[in-house]
Amino acid sequence: MDNKKHIVRVAPSPTGMLHIGTLRTMYFNWLIANQNDDSKLILRIDDTDLSRSMDSMIKPIYDTIGVYGLHYDITFKQSDNFATYKMFADKLVLDGYADYDDGAIRLTNTFGYDVNMNLDWKDTITGDKKCTPDVFAAASTQVIIKSDGSPTYNFASAIDDMTHGVTWVVRGTDHIVNTFKQIIFYRLFDKPIPLHSHVGLLCDISTGKKYSKRDSDLLDLSKYNVDAVLNFILRLGWSPTKDDKSNNIIPRDKAIKMFLADGKMRAPNCKVDLNKLDWYNKKYNGFNI
Ligand code: GLU
């Protein structure tokens, strides 16, 4: 997989500051995009949710990404693309796969099971995902354009991934359920389905609970060495094949070489151990510990 051309993307929502989980996902995608010169990273601002997105959060997201030196090849925000999503929705209406419903547009399950609509997919980390009748029913009747004219997350994501030729979607396990709802659009528009890898979510070391936005807000990464942070987040959901002392320190150049060839992304949730971050911080700041 290292030598293939990968088109990957990361899609932060500007509902708050860029938090550690998104930075982790961004770093993983960046490492994949840096496997070779042909691969590309798309940074997409997921601001379709008009009630939760804040314009004022967009610049801080770019600023944070800049601090970590994670360059991208293409960037755009979804709110600039509403006309495109509407055009794709109109096509589905025209083809009889969607219809107007109280000002919204939703898929209509008239095509049913009998047209080989297979929504099964395979996660590169956790394997086969089978679509149940309930999941199929939800996917095949989902709203795609809301009555305020904005597209839903699943529709906009799938359209953007499809039109940009994304080959590999890497994101948190919280999106496994959404994947069925996105794959239906690849089927309806007859486009190749990208690889999907869902990595474990970050969780609190003492309670084991999923990291909340509040936990992330309380964690001020700006006081740590940038490379220490990257080394720390690398180990949240990825481990080297040879997980011993020789691989304690993996700066970004080494991480690019090892990410696909000598390690694996993982699905179990990852405990955020700030003592480890302190340890990396000391190491990268030149302390001999
Ligand atoms: N805005 C979503 C998130 O931050 C993006 C999910 C995706 O990568 O499709 O979780």
Side-chain angles (χ1 to χ4, degrees):
M1 292 235 264
D2 335 11
N3 291 324
K4 274 175 95 176
K5 172 176 171 176
H6 300 296
I7 312 245
V8 289
R9 42 47 130 215
V10 63
S13 302
T15 50
M17 301 299 280
L18 185 87
H19 61 76
I20 180 170
T22 312
L23 189 62
R24 183 280 305 262
T25 305
M26 169 104 196
Y27 190 38
F28 285 13
N29 280 287
W30 183 87
L31 290 168
I32 293 171
N34 278 278
Q35 296 299 305
N36 52 57
D37 291 343
D38 295 334
S39 294
K40 286 195 176 15
L41 172 60
I42 300 168
L43 170 60
R44 180 170 82 211
I45 303 293
D46 246 5
D47 60 348
T48 54
D49 187 339
L50 299 177
S51 59
R52 294 182 59 230
S53 298
M54 291 180 273
D55 265 358
S56 59
M57 283 301 151
I58 297 181
K59 185 170 180 302
I61 290 177
Y62 281 106
D63 288 348
T64 307
I65 288 169
V67 166
Y68 290 94
L70 302 176
H71 51 274
Y72 40 83
D73 300 280
I74 297 169
T75 186
F76 64 94
K77 53 185 174 100
Q78 290 187 313
S79 57
D80 288 338
N81 278 352
F82 280 15
T84 307
Y85 308 125
K86 178 68 172 38
M87 202 182 74
F88 278 92
D90 285 344
K91 169 95 173 73
L92 291 176
V93 173
L94 208 69
D95 290 348
Y97 293 136
D99 217 339
Y100 281 85
D101 178 12
D102 274 337
I105 303 179
R106 66 161 71 238
L107 294 185
T108 43
N109 185 8
T110 48
F111 40 95
Y113 277 109
D114 46 325
V115 280
N116 295 326
M117 183 68 65
N118 181 358
L119 301 187
D120 295 351
W121 55 282
K122 186 176 177 148
D123 192 292
T124 69
I125 306 175
T126 55
D128 289 331
K129 298 280 174 278
K130 293 267 172 238
C131 181
T132 61
D134 281 359
V135 171
F136 184 85
S140 60
T141 55
Q142 66 182 298
V143 170
I144 55 177
I145 304 280
K146 298 185 227 170
S147 52
D148 65 5
S150 63
T152 53
Y153 155 72
N154 284 310
F155 185 54
S157 286
I159 296 301
D160 281 329
D161 288 346
M162 211 182 276
T163 50
H164 285 93
V166 166
T167 60
W168 195 354
V169 173
V170 177
R171 57 188 173 194
T173 46
D174 48 341
H175 289 290
I176 286 180
V177 289
N178 289 326
T179 305
F180 295 99
K181 285 190 159 183
Q182 295 175 10
I183 281 182
I184 196 166
F185 299 113
Y186 290 85
R187 293 280 181 228
L188 292 173
F189 289 109
D190 198 19
K191 290 282 189 271
I193 297 169
L195 291 177
H196 281 90
S197 306
H198 289 89
V199 282
L201 303 179
L202 310 193
C203 61
D204 186 281
I205 185 148
S206 42
T207 61
K209 279 204 194 123
K210 196 188 133 187
Y211 238 47
S212 66
K213 191 172 156 332
R214 192 182 133 74
D215 294 323
S216 313
D217 287 348
L218 288 175
L219 175 57
D220 179 11
L221 291 177
S222 68
K223 60 184 189 200
Y224 297 97
N225 179 302
V226 161
D227 291 302
V229 172
L230 289 182
N231 200 146
F232 176 65
I233 59 178
L234 174 69
R235 298 306 312 269
L236 299 174
W238 177 89
S239 28
T241 313
K242 191 166 164 231
D243 200 357
D244 64 13
K245 269 192 161 169
S246 68
N247 280 324
N248 270 345
I249 297 290
I250 309 182
R252 71 177 83 194
D253 286 351
K254 188 173 171 189
I256 291 172
K257 293 203 183 84
M258 293 182 70
F259 193 70
L260 298 180
D262 296 310
K264 266 197 170 60
M265 289 186 275
R266 304 193 172 277
N269 287 349
C270 344
K271 295 193 172 119
V272 178
D273 180 355
L274 294 181
N275 290 326
K276 268 197 193 146
L277 177 53
D278 283 331
W279 184 85
Y280 281 119
N281 203 42
K282 289 194 182 111
K283 279 282 185 194
Y284 278 92
N285 281 335
F287 289 95
N288 202 1
I289 48 168

